């Protein structure tokens, strides 16, 4: 079992920048292979992580197979600083994780009319190994986590 931190990857890695301590994503990732498709989307396994703002706080996971399919995601660091999902050894093996510093943790957002009405799925984070570029949405076994946690309190 491993508990990827929500801290950004180490300096010099593809996803780190000076704003990383606030959960920003510096670079787009041109292709992520989901080793397990997102629930409800069994035919979509190739996605790109695309920054939506200059700060890299909001990103989209865009399907490379269907340009109309995308998920709004963010690093939980800025909004849920104590969030520390624990995943099983099967996830570690599936993603080829050898160093927790290589894991990018994202949460899928449900956009509301305002930021105050936007929620995050903390029960099903998307983990991306920034070295192997393999990812997966992982359903955690923690009843304390919500699928619709308010992004701001």
């Amino acid at each position: 079992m491993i508990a990827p931190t929500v801290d950004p990857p180490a300096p010099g890695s593809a996803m780190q920048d000076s704003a990383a301590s606030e959960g920003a994503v510096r670079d787009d990732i041109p292709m992520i292979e989901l080793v397990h498709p997102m629930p409800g989307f069994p035919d979509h396994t190739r996605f790109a992580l695309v920054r939506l703002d200059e700060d890299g706080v909001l990103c989209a996971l865009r399907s490379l197979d269907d340009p109309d399919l995308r998920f709004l995601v963010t690093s939980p660091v800025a909004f849920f600083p104590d969030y520390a999902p624990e995943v099983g050894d099967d996830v570690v093996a599936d993603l080829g994780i050898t160093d927790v510093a290589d894991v990018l943790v994202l949460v899928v957002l449900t956009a509301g009319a305002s930021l105050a009405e936007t929620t995050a799925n903390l029960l099903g984070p998307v983990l991306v190994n920034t070295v192997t570029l393999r990812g997966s949405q992982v359903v955690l076994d923690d009843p304390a986590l919500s699928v619709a946690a308010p992004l701001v309190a």
Side-chain angles (χ1 to χ4, degrees):
M1 180 171 288
I2 189 169
T5 65
V6 291
D7 293 332
S13 69
M15 302 303 296
Q16 195 276 336
D17 75 357
S18 61
S21 63
E22 297 174 9
V25 174
R26 186 179 102 198
D27 297 319
D28 294 347
I29 298 179
M31 186 176 138
I32 298 167
E33 176 191 359
L34 295 184
V35 296
H36 303 288
M38 300 283 274
F41 302 93
D43 298 329
H44 301 278
T45 58
R46 299 179 322 126
F47 285 82
L49 181 66
V50 179
R51 291 173 24 148
L52 298 178
D53 60 12
E54 286 185 22
D55 297 328
V57 174
L58 291 176
C59 299
L61 269 179
R62 290 189 176 159
S63 171
L64 297 176
D65 303 310
D66 179 353
D68 294 330
L69 178 62
R70 65 182 180 173
F71 298 92
L72 183 62
V73 296
T74 190
S75 166
V77 173
F79 303 100
F80 307 98
D82 297 328
Y83 183 64
E86 292 186 19
V87 299
D89 293 339
D90 57 329
V91 174
V92 172
D94 286 348
L95 301 183
I97 298 170
T98 58
D99 186 340
V100 72
D102 296 331
V103 179
L104 173 66
V105 179
L106 301 167
V107 291
V108 178
L109 302 177
T110 299
S114 68
L115 191 59
E117 296 176 15
T118 299
T119 61
N121 180 351
L122 299 180
L123 195 59
V126 175
L127 304 182
V128 177
N129 181 334
T130 59
V131 175
T132 65
L133 301 181
R134 294 193 306 201
S136 182
Q137 184 175 31
V138 181
V139 178
L140 303 174
D141 185 22
D142 186 342
L145 297 174
S146 173
V147 296
L151 201 56
V152 294

